[in-house]
């Protein structure tokens, strides 16, 4: 576990191998055209993707349409990538302490400093909403007139870290005059009684090195605080003796004064955090972990849309359309939790048993409803749409590992989305969507409630020849200070064949290993279509 970012990458691969997926989905952007328009399509939905966006729009359509879309979304939530490298270094430093506890060994002033810094870095990872979110959607969508049959898969994978700061400690140890190192020595086997410094011998304890007296006094204050609050045993020595010994030893080993000053400053800065955390518990009780969870649902959907003119021949009813989706939903729900500091390994002997423990397959039915109003004879030709997905809250069984962790059945919660669109000109379309419901995602504590705005410009604007240029943006208002995500795309229509590409990146950047900055969110999509 040398690098947390590497571990997250490996667990993502593992989760993909296990068909992993999670607890409640955000609204999936399906299709390249909707993605290029910022995810605003509920009031448009004028193609074979109408069942996903608004089945009511099927009532306006004629002829035949077939679309094969593929969408992918990768998002780092809660600034997780910025902290990942520091946490990886922290775990490396903590492992050194763990090894010394188990096998017997030494640490010096610099390693105590590193342990102090590790606690601060781990503190940054506290709180929900931090993690990695990966979403993939795609399938086959066919429409004949006002009827459609679609098969689409929606997969969401979440990696959520949990940092336990209540069960970390330095361990049982003594100061030793062994020839290989003078420092804190850990007796083999460790324990939970705190650090025992009563065995300090033959080190320069009475005075601090010239020029470092201030650092010795500050370090002594930390040791004195730990003596009374964190179970550190000083024996017959004073905090000043031990501080002098540590600093004298560091200088004797060739450490520069600037390095010693920096080390002491970091320890002093982390004093209160150390006192809060070092409670005498052992690493084997620490529950820091990565939770990988998700859901892959394949939806077999039969859809129909029509106007309400069968109720009345009044103009109002001729401009209102109603649609319904009836879905058979086959779900793979998965859950895996890997502890970071406990002595726990994954057992892959008997993959069939492992698979059943972490992945559960079940099926259910879902119901979606859509309403669309169009004003074809009104300037700007406005359209308003309302989509209600999964109104019956279909539920699916959890794997054994999730049940053991206290999770109930996975429920696909209802989603409500509102859309509007206008046409300033025949070649220019403007659309906007908003999630009325706040939707959960595959990252625990990270919710999604998106507002989308998009434009489409048709360059040639001919039925058999057109180049469509799209641009838009979306923002998640469920997360405070969430960045804007900018989208773009294009579509080429040649006779009856359409090829589309689209993508999106967030406005913010996060630092990763090597000092590089990358967007916190990226999306991509491609669609092939055939229509008559």
């Amino acid at each position: 576990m040398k690098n947390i970012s590497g571990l997250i990458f490996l667990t993502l691969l593992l989760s993909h191998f296990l068909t992993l997926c999670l607890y409640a989905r955000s609204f999936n952007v399906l299709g390249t055209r909707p993605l290029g328009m910022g995810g605003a399509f509920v009031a448009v939905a004028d193609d074979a993707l109408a069942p996903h966006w608004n089945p009511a729009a099927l009532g306006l359509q004629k002829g035949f349409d077939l679309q094969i879309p593929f969408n992918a979304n990768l998002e780092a939530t809660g600034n997780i990538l910025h902290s990942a490298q520091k946490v990886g270094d922290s775990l490396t430093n903590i492992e050194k302490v763990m090894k010394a506890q188990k096998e017997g060994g030494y640490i010096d002033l610099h390693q105590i400093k590193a342990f102090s810094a590790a606690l601060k870095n781990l503190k940054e990872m506290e709180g929900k909403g931090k993690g990695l979110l990966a979403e993939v959607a795609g399938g086959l969508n066919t429409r004949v007139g006002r009827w459609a049959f679609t098969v689409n898969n929606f997969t969401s994978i979440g990696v959520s870290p949990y940092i336990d700061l209540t069960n970390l400690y330095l361990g049982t140890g003594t100061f030793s005059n062994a020839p290989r190192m003078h420092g804190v020595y850990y007796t083999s086997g460790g324990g939970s009684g705190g650090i025992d410094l009563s065995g300090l011998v033959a080190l320069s304890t009475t005075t601090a090195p010239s020029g470092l007296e201030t650092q010795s006094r500050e370090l002594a204050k930390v040791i004195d605080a730990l003596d009374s609050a964190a179970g550190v045993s000083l024996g017959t020595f004073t905090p000043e003796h031990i501080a002098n010994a540590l600093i004298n030893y560091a200088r004797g080993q060739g450490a520069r004064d600037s390095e010693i000053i920096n080390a002491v400053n970091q320890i002093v800065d982390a004093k209160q955090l150390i006192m809060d955390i070092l409670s005498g518990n052992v690493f084997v009780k620490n529950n820091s972990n990565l939770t990988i969870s998700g859901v892959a649902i394949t939806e077999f959907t039969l859809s129909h849309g029509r106007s309400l003119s069968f109720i009345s021949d009044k103009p109002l009813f001729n401009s209102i359309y109603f649609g319904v989706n009836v879905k058979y939903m086959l779900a793979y729900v998965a859950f895996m939790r890997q502890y970071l500091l406990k002595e726990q390994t994954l057992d892959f002997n008997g993959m069939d048993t492992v698979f059943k423990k972490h992945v559960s397959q079940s099926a259910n039915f879902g119901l979606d409803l859509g309403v669309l109003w169009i004003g074809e004879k009104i300037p700007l030709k406005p359209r308003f749409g309302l989509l209600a997905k999964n109104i019956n809250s279909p539920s699916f069984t959890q794997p054994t590992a999730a049940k053991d962790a206290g999770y109930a059945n996975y429920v696909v919660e209802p989603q409500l989305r509102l859309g509007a669109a206008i046409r300033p000109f025949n070649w220019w379309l403007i659309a906007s969507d908003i999630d009325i419901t706040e939707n959960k995602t595959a990252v625990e504590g990270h919710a999604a409630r998106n507002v989308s705005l998009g434009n489409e410009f048709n360059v040639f604007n001919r039925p058999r020849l057109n180049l469509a240029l799209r641009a838009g943006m979306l923002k998640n208002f469920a997360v405070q200070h969430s960045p804007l995500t900018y989208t773009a795309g294009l579509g080429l229509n040649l006779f009856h064949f359409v090829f589309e590409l689209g993508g999106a990146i967030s406005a913010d950047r996060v630092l990763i290993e090597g000092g590089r900055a990358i967007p916190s969110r990226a999306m991509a999509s491609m669609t092939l279509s055939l229509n008559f």
Side-chain angles (χ1 to χ4, degrees):
M1 229 168 293
K2 300 298 183 185
N3 190 310
I4 194 73
S5 56
L7 179 58
I8 289 176
F9 177 73
L10 290 176
T11 51
L12 274 173
L13 290 180
L14 175 63
S15 62
H16 177 70
F17 170 72
L18 292 177
T19 323
L20 291 183
C21 336
L22 172 81
Y23 294 104
R25 302 178 296 175
S26 57
F27 189 90
N28 295 99
V29 176
L30 179 67
T32 305
R33 186 182 176 201
L35 175 61
M37 297 175 64
F41 211 63
V42 168
V44 181
D46 55 2
D47 54 26
L49 298 179
H52 177 75
W53 289 95
N54 191 349
L58 290 171
L60 288 164
Q61 300 185 35
K62 300 178 181 180
F64 171 81
D65 189 10
L66 181 150
Q67 288 200 33
I68 305 175
F70 173 81
N71 289 71
N73 172 44
L74 182 62
E75 182 178 1
T77 66
N79 206 23
I80 185 71
L81 293 181
H82 182 68
S83 305
Q85 182 60 38
K86 291 194 295 185
V87 172
D89 295 339
S90 299
L91 293 178
T92 300
N93 293 325
I94 289 176
E95 283 179 340
K96 294 177 182 178
V97 178
M98 294 173 63
K99 183 177 181 181
Q101 288 173 322
K102 292 170 55 180
E103 303 174 0
Y106 298 84
I107 65 171
D108 58 17
L109 178 65
H110 293 294
Q111 289 170 315
I112 295 176
K113 178 208 75 172
F115 186 87
S116 302
L119 298 185
K120 294 182 65 178
N121 291 338
L122 290 174
K123 185 74 174 177
E124 290 185 11
M125 297 291 290
E126 277 192 313
K128 293 185 177 181
K130 296 177 180 287
L132 288 180
L133 174 63
E135 296 175 320
V136 178
L140 179 65
N141 299 262
T142 58
R143 178 193 57 78
V144 179
R146 296 180 296 177
W147 292 85
F149 178 73
T150 63
V151 181
N152 290 301
N153 177 269
F154 302 95
T155 296
S156 299
I157 301 169
V159 179
S160 305
Y162 169 74
I163 302 300
D164 179 8
L165 293 176
T166 62
N167 293 302
L168 294 171
Y169 83 126
L170 288 173
T172 298
T174 65
F175 267 87
S176 170
N177 194 32
R180 51 181 172 162
M181 178 177 287
H182 299 120
V184 178
Y185 177 73
Y186 291 109
T187 55
S188 179
S192 59
I195 305 173
D196 180 9
L197 301 180
S198 60
L200 182 65
V201 294
L203 290 173
S204 300
T205 61
T206 56
T207 59
S210 175
L212 296 174
E213 293 86 356
T214 299
Q215 282 66 42
S216 181
R217 287 193 297 269
E218 292 299 318
L219 184 58
K221 292 178 183 179
V222 177
I223 294 172
D224 183 50
L226 295 178
D227 176 36
S228 59
V232 174
S233 175
L234 304 183
T236 61
F237 297 98
T238 68
E240 289 75 15
H241 287 154
I242 295 170
N244 290 339
L246 284 170
I247 292 178
N248 278 314
Y249 173 71
R251 178 178 273 186
Q253 293 296 307
R256 297 189 300 270
D257 284 3
S258 60
E259 295 174 328
I260 296 174
I261 292 172
N262 176 266
V264 172
N265 287 342
Q266 290 200 36
I267 295 171
V268 170
D269 187 45
K271 179 183 73 171
Q272 187 58 50
L273 181 62
I274 296 172
M275 292 173 61
D276 292 341
I277 294 173
L278 301 184
S279 57
N281 295 314
V282 295
F283 281 110
V284 294
K285 296 180 182 179
N286 190 275
N287 290 314
S288 297
N289 64 73
L290 286 177
T291 297
I292 310 106
S293 51
V295 61
I297 298 180
T298 301
E299 299 181 354
F300 301 84
T301 306
L302 179 63
S303 309
H304 179 63
R306 62 176 302 170
S307 74
L308 297 185
S309 57
F310 68 93
I311 298 177
S312 171
D313 59 358
K314 293 183 178 180
L316 174 64
F317 290 91
N318 289 327
S319 60
I320 298 177
Y321 293 80
F322 173 82
V324 60
N325 295 330
V326 178
K327 305 184 293 187
Y328 175 77
M329 306 169 71
L330 178 63
Y332 288 86
V333 181
F335 181 93
M336 181 179 293
R337 178 165 288 167
Q338 179 62 42
Y339 290 91
L340 303 180
L341 297 177
K342 290 183 177 181
E343 294 182 0
Q344 180 194 60
T345 58
L346 295 175
D347 181 13
F348 290 104
N349 294 323
M351 281 301 300
D352 182 63
T353 302
V354 173
F355 187 86
K356 291 180 179 178
K357 176 178 174 62
H358 294 287
V359 180
S360 175
Q361 176 185 339
S362 58
N364 210 330
F365 288 90
L367 182 66
D368 305 336
L369 299 176
V371 178
L372 178 67
W373 174 83
I374 61 171
E376 285 295 326
K377 297 181 179 180
I378 300 176
L380 300 179
K381 299 181 179 179
R383 298 163 66 112
F384 293 93
L386 180 65
L387 172 67
K389 294 184 74 70
N390 303 306
I391 61 175
N392 61 322
S393 300
S395 64
F396 303 92
T397 60
Q398 292 274 15
T400 302
K403 294 178 181 177
D404 292 343
Y407 290 93
N409 279 352
Y410 162 63
V411 179
V412 181
E413 298 177 352
Q415 298 173 336
L416 199 61
R417 191 174 177 95
L418 181 68
I422 58 173
R423 282 191 178 274
F425 303 98
N426 287 335
W427 49 268
W428 183 12
L429 172 65
I430 303 174
S432 179
D433 280 9
I434 181 173
D435 288 324
I436 298 177
T437 54
E438 184 173 285
N439 307 310
K440 298 178 182 178
T441 71
V443 174
E444 293 187 8
H446 179 74
R449 188 182 181 189
N450 291 319
V451 175
S452 304
L453 177 66
N455 296 267
E456 181 179 63
F457 307 93
N458 295 290
V459 178
F460 299 111
N461 204 25
R462 297 289 185 272
R464 296 188 179 185
L465 176 63
N466 186 41
L467 175 64
L469 302 178
R470 298 154 189 147
M473 63 181 67
L474 62 91
K475 183 177 176 63
N476 181 6
F477 281 91
V479 177
Q480 189 176 17
H481 306 305
S482 67
L484 282 171
T485 297
Y486 298 106
T487 70
L490 59 86
L492 179 62
N493 182 4
L494 293 174
F495 295 95
H496 300 290
F497 176 77
V498 181
F499 174 71
E500 297 173 308
L501 287 175
I505 59 171
S506 60
D508 68 329
R509 298 291 186 271
V510 292
L511 293 175
I512 60 173
E513 187 175 0
R516 292 176 295 167
I518 64 172
S520 63
R521 185 179 190 183
M523 307 171 72
S525 178
M526 180 182 72
T527 299
L528 299 175
S529 304
L530 184 64
N531 54 60
F532 294 91

